[in-house]
Amino acid sequence: MLLPMRWMVLLLAALLPALDLPPSPADVPGVRIWPPPMFTHWPAIAYADESRNAAVALPVKGPGLKAEWGWEGDKPIPLTLPDDAERTSGLVDLRLEPGLRRLRVGMPDGDHRLPLRVVPAGEAVWPIERLVDGYPVDQAGVPVVLLASRPQPGRERTWALLKESRPRPTGRAVLVGDPLEALGDSPWTGLDAETRPATDLVKPHHACLVALAQLPAPLPRTLIWSPGNGAIQVGEADPEEVRLLGLVRERFAALGAAPLLLLALPPAPVEERLAAAHEARREALLAEADRTGWRILDQARAAGPAATANRMGENVFTAYPNGAALVRVREMLAAALVK
């Protein structure tokens, strides 16, 4: 037998005082949980001969508070926190030496120690597990900076004859980056290569660092990087993405290998608003590829004009080439993989 709704309400009201329920938020003021100090931005790839910074965010729990920070072993720097904000940030100098370091942040509520790891580019395995807000971290969430040498093509040509030639590896080729998917298909489909899709709207080259953190054994005989157009869809591309080219080359050199390195230049975007950013990025990638010894696969030339390569119907386009244009890009990649 079911009780009328009125009787059920009265019954619950009578039972509630006897139940061990937590207090109502309306009766007890809440306790705010403040975010701890943390690194928010850091260079994923840094050159050993440059000065770089990392950004650190600090909570401001009240007016008139003081703080300090400094790397362990260094003299701390006093900080005056703002009175009109609940959160502030600043830049700390990075000492670009391999190893794990900790930034001590002294706050009114106690000390906080923020770890950061600097890793040489030539390491066989990069300790990069994932991206946090677009920046690489290790398995424990510690920020990782890869330390690279600045490319010096002139000096390398001078000493080329004295260098011992490195063998080309024999492992299966690797494709990394943006697979340029359109209508459920991709130029990567069916290719004789290990595919490692890696995309990020803001920093796609950081996603590639995650994808390449571990290399296959034996090392790949060919590596193709496809940057895609994701970066220019949300603004201008990060100018530091070209550093990936020298970084990858340096890593293979440290491992005693010389695979064929191929840069698959992105196809042209359909939107006219992206044309200038696309061309500027293309020129930057071409220049760095020339400096670092990467060969070029021009996916824009293989696909043809975006107005036809990306067309689905009347005034309807895909983000990347489809149909016959997609097949032409795939054929170009397939031909490169057999070299």
Side-chain angles (χ1 to χ4, degrees), residues 270 307 310-318:
V270 174
N310 299 24
R311 189 174 186 274
M312 287 178 56
E314 189 67 28
N315 294 323
V316 181
F317 301 90
T318 51

Side-chain angles (χ1 to χ4, degrees), residues 101-125:
R101 304 185 66 209
R102 290 178 175 84
L103 181 73
R104 187 188 71 83
V105 181
M107 302 287 291
D109 61 351
D111 283 359
H112 302 263
R113 282 171 169 78
L114 313 183
L116 182 139
R117 189 183 302 276
V118 178
V119 180
E123 292 292 311
V125 176

Side-chain angles (χ1 to χ4, degrees), residues 37 39 56 58 67-79 92 101-108 110-116:
F39 288 109
V56 180
L58 305 176
E68 64 178 20
W69 66 25
W71 295 102
E72 289 183 339
D74 294 347
K75 184 178 179 180
I77 299 173
L79 305 171
V92 295
R101 304 185 66 209
R102 290 178 175 84
L103 181 73
R104 187 188 71 83
V105 181
M107 302 287 291
D111 283 359
H112 302 263
R113 282 171 169 78
L114 313 183
L116 182 139

Side-chain angles (χ1 to χ4, degrees), residues 6 15 17 59 61-62 76 82 84 86 126 137 144 168-170 186 191 225-226 253 265 295 311:
R6 183 170 65 88
L15 291 175
K61 300 183 180 181
D84 57 350
E86 296 184 342
W126 292 334
V137 300
V144 176
R168 185 178 180 185
T170 59
S186 163
L191 295 180
W225 175 34
S226 172
L265 289 173
R295 299 184 187 179
R311 189 174 186 274

